[in-house]
Amino acid sequence: MDTDGAPVELDVEEPKVPEDAPPSGGGGGGIAEKTPEELIAKAIAPVKREFLRPPPIRPCSNSNETNDAASGTKSAPSSSLLKEKKSKRQLKRERLQEKKSALHLCPEVARSGDASSCRYNEKCRFSHDVEAFKAQKPDDLEGVCPFMSAEVPCPYGLACRFSGTHKDGFSADLNGRKENPEMNGLKKDVQHLLWKNKMRFPKADAQLKLLGLMGKINSKSKTSSDKEEGEKATSNGSSVNDKNGSDVVACDSNIQTDDNPQLPKEEDYAAPTFASDELSRPMKKVKSCADEDYCPEELDNGHIVLEKDLEKSCSQTESGTTTECISTETDGSLKSHPREKKLIDFREKLYLAPLTTVGNLPFRRVCKVLGADVTCGEMAMCTNLLQGQASEWALLRRHSSEDLFGVQICGAYPDTVTRTVELIDQECTVDFIDINMGCPIDIVVNKGAGSALLMKPMRMKSIVQATSATVDRPITIKVRTAYFEGKNRIDSLIEDIGQWGANAVTIHGRSRQQRYSKLADWEYIYQCARKAPNALQVLGNGDVFSYLDWNKHKFDCPELSTCMVARGALVKPWIFTEIKEQRHWDISSGERLSILKDYARFGLEHWGSDAKGVETTRHFLLEWLSYTCRYIPVGLLDVIPQRMNWRPPSYFGRDDLETLMASDSASDWIKISEMLLGKVPDGFTFAPKHKSNSYDRAENG
């Protein structure tokens, strides 16, 4: 939808109804005259007649003041296309000048309240004028500093938007602060090694050599990764960094692709054949460099370069006959001793799917409170992780409340995926690593990752074999039914996937070509689950929106380990409570607001309680509200439960807050955010990233 909430033309229609449904007219127009069965047949939610209302009249989306409804302010008379173009140097100079302004107080000075506490003094790029900062700082927000409620010193001091609740107005001593409940941060020394392409991956390289993949990678990398070498901020064209710098990720269909994308051809879509002389399954024991007189070679793909002239790297004598590997302090992966493979039992556990943009750490904390058992981080691109991009590493962060947690990565080639898995195993605390082989977004597929791997089963095999043999943590994969509609192929691979070394496979019951245009094909998921070997756990995914959906899938196919919940958790995160308590929760607007308050508090703890952190929290809260507006309270429906593909008509809630929460207008979402995070800044606008009312966009792979 546009920022003013006006509906836009859909790329793909799920139910075959007019895009501006429901029909206009008093009391819901034609909707009030139809029976619930007729409405359901047209994928319109059967809301009780007494709650229906005419659709709100909104300004035309082509108006020059498109953002007025979303921001409450008049748009600039001049078009953004007419703005003066500025060079990168000029933009950098303006950013530095902005940081020098009084509103950008030095973090050290803000924490201590003393202008002389910064070790950089005059060379600091931030302002040290405490009095000027206090004069220009906006009023504090209502409530208590989230760090004070956690009984720890606030790390933002004077810059905190709740600084009035601090004991002394600031927090100078951080030494007594409790241990950070968040983990999996990127260490500076590791980041520097990644920046300089000097990070070593002995276990991954040993497995790649054992599988005979080193030579293949070197020969292909010169042609397939040429474009990736020159791209720094978005190395594989699949990462989008939010202007606030955290937790905004790739899977967005609005991003432009390359001029000449190399899409898979349908004639290449052949059933997989496995030659009798193909590589055998790799040994579970990882061989070190010294075992085979082997040292990883420098690759040409521009991602991971192991320089031979590095002091603490593998060095080879002039004769080339001997090789020596010297371990570094950061290279803990060289501790090679055989250990039993750790496994995870997903049976009957409530699994929150990895969700781009909205499935951030604060949202996962909310779902944990409401009953989720397993959580997984947002999809992170392997090449960006291997380049040490802080924004991509932020997607791997884990809260201490996430007791069963995994990360999801996406890559196109065995070398990048295997080395990323070794790096995560060494630097992060995770319970399992999920490899995305189902993301349908063009910019990911065009690079050979995501759903593109469904066209290349031998590459799928190489990735799963190499990664599962490199680390002891369980490796799981997520796939779709196929690339092309009507040509399902996972059933022909399901037995092999278990032999390759995967612990579990999640099957999203849609093809890549289909996206979200139809309901998920659960019969095909059942077929795959029945064919899977006993050692391979099969998880189903698609349209789970109530405890009845959960019960039906588990009853129809006992071979399923569990069902993954994705969009259902975005619309109503209390679905986990409903499944555990086996009931339809007619949740009140006040209870829903309490959940949003928890999210705002978790967001301030995660992104910060200063001005930047507040606005980052607001941004992701608004992204989430663009989904929650699709929820229809149980007490308002003629037929329960609500289905995922039902379009809600315009209706009144049982109170004003419930009516406000049902609005699909961005201006109303902003009003809800102001109830939790104070007034928006001047000139604030918002447009949802995933266009939630289109009912056809992918939230995850």
Side-chain angles (χ1 to χ4, degrees), residues 267-369:
E267 53 266 26
D268 296 335
Y269 190 85
T273 57
F274 303 100
S276 58
D277 59 343
E278 68 180 3
L279 297 173
S280 60
R281 185 178 179 184
M283 299 171 60
K284 290 297 181 181
K285 180 179 178 181
V286 178
K287 295 187 177 182
S288 63
C289 297
D291 289 339
E292 299 187 34
D293 292 335
Y294 162 71
C295 183
E297 294 287 334
E298 180 176 349
L299 296 184
D300 297 329
N301 59 6
H303 304 318
I304 313 104
V305 181
L306 306 179
E307 298 187 2
K308 297 178 181 179
D309 56 351
L310 187 63
E311 279 188 4
K312 293 185 178 181
S313 66
C314 298
S315 60
Q316 190 172 6
T317 61
E318 295 181 359
S319 61
T321 56
T322 60
T323 304
E324 181 183 8
C325 288
I326 304 176
S327 62
T328 62
E329 292 181 359
T330 60
D331 193 4
S333 62
L334 290 181
K335 300 177 181 178
S336 58
H337 54 84
R339 290 178 293 180
E340 185 178 351
K341 190 83 171 180
K342 300 175 183 177
L343 300 177
I344 293 179
D345 188 1
F346 290 101
R347 286 178 296 182
E348 306 300 329
K349 291 183 172 62
L350 302 185
Y351 191 159
L352 172 64
L355 303 160
T356 65
T357 305
V358 192
N360 44 60
L361 185 145
F363 176 77
R364 299 197 303 269
R365 289 185 64 184
V366 168
C367 292
K368 283 296 297 181
V369 172

Side-chain angles (χ1 to χ4, degrees), residues 233-279:
T234 57
S235 62
N236 59 356
S238 58
S239 174
V240 179
N241 296 335
D242 182 75
K243 61 183 179 181
N244 290 313
S246 63
D247 278 35
V248 177
V249 297
C251 235
D252 189 358
S253 57
N254 297 328
I255 308 172
Q256 293 182 354
T257 59
D258 297 336
D259 295 334
N260 298 311
Q262 298 179 354
L263 291 173
K265 298 179 181 179
E266 186 165 357
E267 53 266 26
D268 296 335
Y269 190 85
T273 57
F274 303 100
S276 58
D277 59 343
E278 68 180 3
L279 297 173

Side-chain angles (χ1 to χ4, degrees), residues 95-396:
R95 286 196 298 269
L96 292 176
Q97 290 175 354
E98 183 182 359
K99 287 183 178 180
K100 276 288 187 180
S101 66
L103 278 177
H104 289 77
L105 190 65
C106 173
E108 289 295 331
V109 176
R111 279 194 286 265
S112 64
D114 183 6
S116 61
S117 60
C118 178
R119 59 178 178 174
Y120 297 104
N121 298 322
E122 294 82 7
K123 296 182 180 180
C124 181
R125 57 181 178 172
F126 296 101
S127 170
H128 288 181
D129 193 339
V130 176
E131 296 302 323
F133 173 79
K134 290 181 177 180
Q136 297 186 28
K137 181 186 176 184
D139 295 336
D140 282 356
L141 299 176
E142 295 182 3
V144 181
C145 174
F147 298 98
M148 295 294 103
S149 61
E151 298 182 355
V152 295
C154 177
Y156 297 94
L158 292 173
C160 177
R161 292 296 307 275
F162 305 89
S163 59
T165 62
H166 297 173
K167 294 180 180 179
D168 301 321
F170 59 87
S171 298
D173 183 17
L174 294 180
N175 295 327
R177 186 178 178 182
K178 294 183 179 179
E179 184 179 355
N180 189 349
E182 295 184 12
M183 57 195 81
N184 295 350
L186 177 59
K187 300 175 184 176
K188 282 296 181 183
D189 55 346
V190 174
Q191 186 178 41
H192 291 158
L193 287 173
L194 294 173
W195 283 349
K196 297 176 181 179
N197 295 328
K198 294 181 179 180
M199 194 73 186
R200 300 173 55 203
F201 305 94
K203 295 171 69 175
D205 291 337
Q207 285 301 323
L208 292 170
K209 182 186 177 185
L210 184 65
L211 292 172
L213 298 173
M214 295 296 290
K216 296 179 182 179
I217 296 168
N218 285 331
S219 62
K220 285 186 177 182
S221 59
K222 295 181 180 179
T223 57
S224 62
S225 299
D226 286 343
K227 293 182 181 179
E228 299 180 8
E229 291 180 355
E231 300 174 1
K232 296 181 180 179
T234 57
S235 62
N236 59 356
S238 58
S239 174
V240 179
N241 296 335
D242 182 75
K243 61 183 179 181
N244 290 313
S246 63
D247 278 35
V248 177
V249 297
C251 235
D252 189 358
S253 57
N254 297 328
I255 308 172
Q256 293 182 354
T257 59
D258 297 336
D259 295 334
N260 298 311
Q262 298 179 354
L263 291 173
K265 298 179 181 179
E266 186 165 357
E267 53 266 26
D268 296 335
Y269 190 85
T273 57
F274 303 100
S276 58
D277 59 343
E278 68 180 3
L279 297 173
S280 60
R281 185 178 179 184
M283 299 171 60
K284 290 297 181 181
K285 180 179 178 181
V286 178
K287 295 187 177 182
S288 63
C289 297
D291 289 339
E292 299 187 34
D293 292 335
Y294 162 71
C295 183
E297 294 287 334
E298 180 176 349
L299 296 184
D300 297 329
N301 59 6
H303 304 318
I304 313 104
V305 181
L306 306 179
E307 298 187 2
K308 297 178 181 179
D309 56 351
L310 187 63
E311 279 188 4
K312 293 185 178 181
S313 66
C314 298
S315 60
Q316 190 172 6
T317 61
E318 295 181 359
S319 61
T321 56
T322 60
T323 304
E324 181 183 8
C325 288
I326 304 176
S327 62
T328 62
E329 292 181 359
T330 60
D331 193 4
S333 62
L334 290 181
K335 300 177 181 178
S336 58
H337 54 84
R339 290 178 293 180
E340 185 178 351
K341 190 83 171 180
K342 300 175 183 177
L343 300 177
I344 293 179
D345 188 1
F346 290 101
R347 286 178 296 182
E348 306 300 329
K349 291 183 172 62
L350 302 185
Y351 191 159
L352 172 64
L355 303 160
T356 65
T357 305
V358 192
N360 44 60
L361 185 145
F363 176 77
R364 299 197 303 269
R365 289 185 64 184
V366 168
C367 292
K368 283 296 297 181
V369 172
L370 293 172
D373 297 319
V374 184
T375 54
C376 187
E378 303 173 63
M379 185 184 74
M381 301 305 299
C382 292
T383 48
N384 297 340
L385 294 173
L386 292 173
Q387 289 178 353
Q389 292 188 17
S391 59
E392 205 77 6
W393 276 84
L395 308 178
L396 308 182

